[in-house]
Amino acid sequence: MPDPPKRGTALRQRLAELRGPDVPASPLDARALAALAANPGCRRRALLDGAGVNKATLAQSLGSPAPFGQSQFAFMRGNAFEAKVKADGGAELLRLVHGRLGGGPEPVPGESSVPDLAAVGPEGRAARTSLALREATATEGWTLLDHPMLALDVAGTPAFLEPDAVVVHPDGSWTVVEIKSFPMIDGSADAAKVGAAARQSAVYALALERVADRMDPAPRVRHHVLLVCPKDFSNLPTASAIDVRKQISVTRRQLARLTRIEDIADALPEGTTFDVNRPAADLTAAVESVPATYAPECLAACELAFHCRERSRDEGEVTALGRSLRGELGGLTTIGAVLSAADGTSGDPTDPTVAALRRAAALRSEALSGAGASSGVGASGGTGGQKC
């Protein structure tokens, strides 16, 4: 009797069946992992990303494509700014790192190391990056790794990640550097964009920790990453140190959850597949068989957001109005239930949420009645005494 397949092998086979025959897995990148961390309760995204399903193609097949990606102008502007930051052996970048995070004497232009990380394939580049990090840590000097390659195990499959840069300090610590082209005005930038950059950087920091764990002694991966942006409305670089410990913790938990996606897959109907070559009706049924947790933030992070938003609106889910509102409404999960509780036809009057809704409805009714009366007065004589 043949031995049963190992857990990792069985999981990969199950995920391949969900993708469909002969459909290659769509690789996970840092943006996808960061989006998972931003919405850890969405089983649909966890399963589809874990299975390597191409969600953009899936959304197209469902009839709900979502426009994603940077414009060509933004892409070129970002590349030009990154090249400026890394010019002259990264002298300006290392100056910013030292100024915000320290970690050794001030770097001297021309004396820092920028190792060549070229290798064949992502596996070769990841191995070359690991070796360069080991060598740089031993030199006790400033080292800039330009676009290193890191590997992170995701549901038994390696995901290859490429941060903008990693800096090795003379004290042996490592720092993730994320370079963005959105401006930092008066020392602060758009909170939503900074949050997205922090989640993405946390993925890189977590992958760096995996490399450090294989070294003895293990170097310290700094939990403050450096975000480099244009200063005000110029093209001059400025930087801010961002604490990503919370984002690292969330990402770590989400990756642990991804390794148990077989539990989500086991709950699916027999024969479920997300093969985009299937009819749209079959695909829709397959997607709907996996619970989703939609929120407006998904529109900026998930290719299936338009599809999930439409379903969320059809079912009257309050999450379509935002997570903060959903949290305030407690056990009232649909808009119909909220309106019913507000007008007094349902709900426990001792429930603080129900009581607050009824009070708000009474105040609204009172305000509208007052507005109507005031409007009547104005119509009869409100303008008669005015002179032009």
Side-chain angles (χ1 to χ4, degrees), residues 10-23 25 50-52 273:
L11 176 59
R12 285 194 292 272
Q13 291 175 349
R14 180 73 174 108
L15 298 182
E17 293 171 359
L18 290 174
R19 285 195 305 273
D22 304 322
V23 177
T273 177

Side-chain angles (χ1 to χ4, degrees), residues 264-291:
I264 305 175
D266 289 343
L268 298 178
E270 187 69 25
T272 297
T273 177
F274 304 105
D275 185 352
V276 294
N277 296 314
R278 304 271 294 179
D282 293 348
L283 272 179
T284 300
V287 169
E288 294 304 313
S289 67
V290 189

